[in-house]
Amino acid sequence: MRTVRVLLAVTAVGACALAGLPASAAPVTRPVAAAVAADTVVGTYYPLAPERLMDTRSGLGGRTGPLGARTVVDLQVAGRGGVPASGAGSVVLNVTVAGPTASGYLTVYPAGQTRPTVSSVNFGAGWLGSNNVTVKLDPDGRVGIYHHAGTTHVVLDVVGFYAGSDTVRGSHGRGGQYQRVTPTRLVDTRRERGPIEGNTLINRWVDFGPVSPHVRALVLNITAVRPERSGFLSAWAGDSPVPTSSTVNYAAGTVVPNLAYVRTATCHDCGPWYGVPIFAVHSLRATDIVVDLVGVIDDGTLPGGLRFTPLDPTRIVDSRANLGTSGALGPNATRRITAPPTVVTNATQVLATNVTAVAATADTVVTVWPADAGVARPAASNLNPAAGQTVSNAVLAGIGPTDTFAVHNLAGSTHLVTDVVGSFRLPPGAAPADPLQVVATGGY
């Protein structure tokens, strides 16, 4: 009897470790399932085809008519729109405000809890727009929506969810992890063909090299630039008819960005020998479109993937109250923001935030990126507030080794508010990986 010593190396969470054992005197190696790594899907993301859950204009979701001042509406989310009836810990929503009669804000939070002192969507009277909102579900799978002043219609579309327990695996399989990327501009019609016509779409494929087949969704910042009339953009995988949901809602002549988690399909005839992810953006009205890549959701198998932990919404910056930083950001000014230990751990790599520019004195651009990490300020923007505007956008803020991120304001001055709704971390025992790089992109 021979004793064979085997050294096992787990290379991916949930993968089998294989050992090579000599079967005879000849050097033949056979794969043997020797061990299975401990695995969980908690904190992984499941992209969904966009689906509308609430529209106060039609009564979808149980509320008919605009929300009044200081009104709270509870909305059932679990069990609808592809979200499982149990096991989802948090959801990613696109929240749209239509026809507000006064300046105000919405706060979306777990139903039944004390309303936190944060905002999810900020708007002025008559504003038309939307914001990406990640929010924990209460034990019954609900969210609460608070409206502050005046009246407004509210529309909610669900685009995905994060697993809160392993019960999701049985019905939905393995979820995806968040992969950091080198920020890349994928579309800018101002430098390509000019504004697209109304009721038309653009298609794009994105090549990340041989890891491309492992991509399940893209995290994009999508901006409508000076549309001719009020309308909306819809972003989706492009493998089905245009969805009835919206991603970016815009008024004529404005510059309106929104963060979007976009489920992808796969194209096998777009250039490389391997399949590459594809997506599409449709516009109701003629407009220029800018699309910046800010992250990737994989299939759960790539190294260095991050898992999401939802947090009770927490305000960490309010320059008006000297919280996190003091005073408005001036022209061409950069601030370093240190995340408090209440929202970060040693494993935290990225914060899921809602960043608000308050009372900008000029048309400007606000950009967020990791500080003290040797990363230059990216060319992409996170917010594009107009003079006098208070506007918010979801931002996945990477943090540097000192738990800091940087914020730059281009012109005029603006106050800054930042609320944290969750964090992305490395799973225990996992090693960080370099950001994914875009090799090529194109239309199809």
Side-chain angles (χ1 to χ4, degrees):
M1 179 177 178
R2 296 169 60 191
T3 300
V4 179
R5 298 182 64 190
V6 179
L7 178 64
L8 300 179
V10 178
T11 58
V13 176
C16 290
L18 303 179
L21 302 179
S24 64
V28 177
T29 299
R30 295 177 181 173
V32 178
V36 176
D39 192 13
T40 176
V41 298
V42 173
T44 61
Y45 182 73
Y46 293 78
L48 300 171
E51 186 163 332
R52 185 145 293 174
L53 300 183
M54 177 179 179
D55 189 338
T56 60
R57 299 168 301 183
S58 66
L60 177 65
R63 169 75 185 213
T64 303
L67 274 59
R70 303 185 184 277
T71 297
V72 176
V73 174
D74 291 341
L75 177 69
Q76 182 67 38
V77 174
R80 302 177 62 209
V83 180
S86 62
S90 53
V91 291
V92 180
L93 306 170
N94 197 55
V95 181
T96 301
V97 171
T101 60
S103 297
Y105 61 89
L106 298 180
T107 300
V108 185
Y109 60 102
Q113 293 189 7
T114 301
R115 177 171 56 88
T117 309
V118 303
S119 59
S120 303
V121 186
N122 294 265
F123 50 85
W127 187 75
L128 172 65
S130 50
N131 198 20
N132 180 279
V133 177
T134 299
V135 58
K136 280 202 309 183
L137 298 175
D138 81 344
D140 295 322
R142 303 174 303 159
V143 299
I145 303 119
Y146 168 81
H147 172 242
H148 186 64
T151 65
T152 188
H153 282 291
V154 177
V155 180
L156 270 71
D157 302 314
V158 65
V159 298
F161 68 92
Y162 290 98
S165 77
D166 273 327
T167 60
V168 174
R169 184 199 299 268
S171 58
H172 289 72
R174 178 184 296 278
Q177 302 180 119
Y178 179 77
Q179 294 282 345
R180 296 174 302 132
V181 301
T182 298
T184 305
R185 181 148 290 177
L186 303 180
V187 178
D188 190 343
T189 60
R190 299 170 302 179
R191 292 170 173 78
E192 298 170 9
R193 60 184 185 182
I196 68 169
E197 297 179 358
N199 199 31
T200 58
L201 61 84
I202 56 175
N203 301 285
R204 286 292 188 273
W205 55 266
V206 187
D207 181 12
F208 296 95
V211 303
S212 292
H214 297 278
V215 173
R216 295 293 176 265
L218 302 176
V219 185
L220 307 170
N221 207 54
I222 303 177
T223 305
V225 182
R226 307 197 186 286
E228 66 172 10
R229 288 190 289 165
S230 296
F232 60 89
L233 304 177
S234 297
W236 80 110
D239 58 348
S240 60
V242 179
T244 57
S245 60
S246 60
T247 305
V248 181
N249 290 264
Y250 51 73
T254 57
V255 179
V256 184
N258 197 19
L259 189 76
Y261 287 62
V262 180
R263 184 180 66 90
T264 57
T266 302
C267 177
H268 295 282
D269 301 311
C270 290
W273 57 268
Y274 42 80
V276 293
I278 58 173
F279 69 96
V281 181
H282 175 273
S283 180
L284 181 65
R285 307 298 186 190
T287 185
D288 275 307
I289 298 174
V290 176
V291 180
D292 294 314
L293 176 71
V294 297
V296 161
I297 302 294
D298 69 12
D299 60 0
T301 65
L302 296 182
L306 306 179
R307 305 287 183 100
F308 181 72
T309 300
L311 299 172
D312 292 330
T314 303
R315 180 150 295 176
I316 64 168
V317 174
D318 189 339
S319 63
R320 301 167 301 181
N322 298 326
L323 174 66
T325 191
S326 298
L329 280 71
N332 198 30
T334 299
R335 296 276 178 86
R336 292 172 67 260
I337 307 296
T338 300
T342 53
V343 298
V344 296
T345 69
N346 290 337
T348 303
Q349 304 286 309
V350 176
L351 293 176
T353 71
N354 192 55
V355 178
T356 304
V358 181
T361 62
D363 293 357
T364 188
V365 173
V366 176
T367 305
V368 181
W369 74 101
D372 305 327
V375 178
R377 173 164 58 93
S381 61
N382 297 105
L383 289 92
N384 300 82
Q389 190 177 38
T390 296
V391 65
S392 53
N393 196 19
V395 176
L396 299 184
I399 58 174
T402 56
D403 295 339
T404 56
F405 59 91
V407 183
H408 179 267
N409 175 56
L410 180 64
S413 66
T414 184
H415 280 288
L416 180 74
V417 174
T418 305
D419 301 318
V420 176
V421 298
S423 64
F424 292 88
R425 72 195 188 285
L426 281 168
D434 291 334
L436 298 184
Q437 305 283 336
V438 174
V439 176
T441 184
Y444 66 94

